[in-house]
Amino acid sequence: MPLLKEGSIDIPKRWHIQSGKHILDIFRKWSSSNGLKLMTGLLQYDPSKRWSADEALASKYFSELPAPTPLSLMPTFPTKHSK
């Protein structure tokens, strides 16, 4: 994870009480450093440092490959409730 090594992502080393896992341990296999940067920008505790919606949408994460699956190729499932 080059962004972590460069120090551009700062995540406090606090461990979750319930699971005992740090958020980076959960997402360690995530191959997108842009995805990690987006996640940490949105999860900043300090509101003045937290990303706005516009900043998040401008993230490089949304323009990297693989591109999202077109809606026409997404599976559909019948509803299970009666009308």
Side-chain angles (χ1 to χ4, degrees):
M1 287 186 222
L3 288 174
L4 296 175
K5 292 178 184 173
E6 294 171 8
S8 60
I9 293 180
D10 182 32
I11 297 177
K13 295 293 182 190
R14 295 183 184 151
W15 297 87
H16 193 273
I17 296 170
Q18 299 284 328
S19 68
K21 291 185 177 181
H22 188 267
I23 193 165
L24 285 180
D25 292 331
I26 296 168
F27 292 100
R28 184 133 346 250
K29 294 181 183 176
W30 213 2
S31 61
S32 170
S33 59
N34 288 324
L36 283 172
K37 191 171 183 180
L38 171 65
M39 180 180 69
T40 56
L42 290 171
L43 295 177
Q44 285 289 325
Y45 184 74
D46 183 350
S48 66
K49 294 180 181 178
R50 192 176 310 135
W51 287 13
S52 67
D54 289 333
E55 290 170 318
L57 289 172
S59 170
K60 292 178 183 177
Y61 174 74
F62 295 111
S63 61
E64 67 185 13
L65 295 175
T69 301
L71 189 56
S72 62
L73 297 177
M74 294 297 289
T76 57
F77 303 96
T79 59
K80 297 208 177 206
H81 65 282
S82 59
K83 292 184 179 183

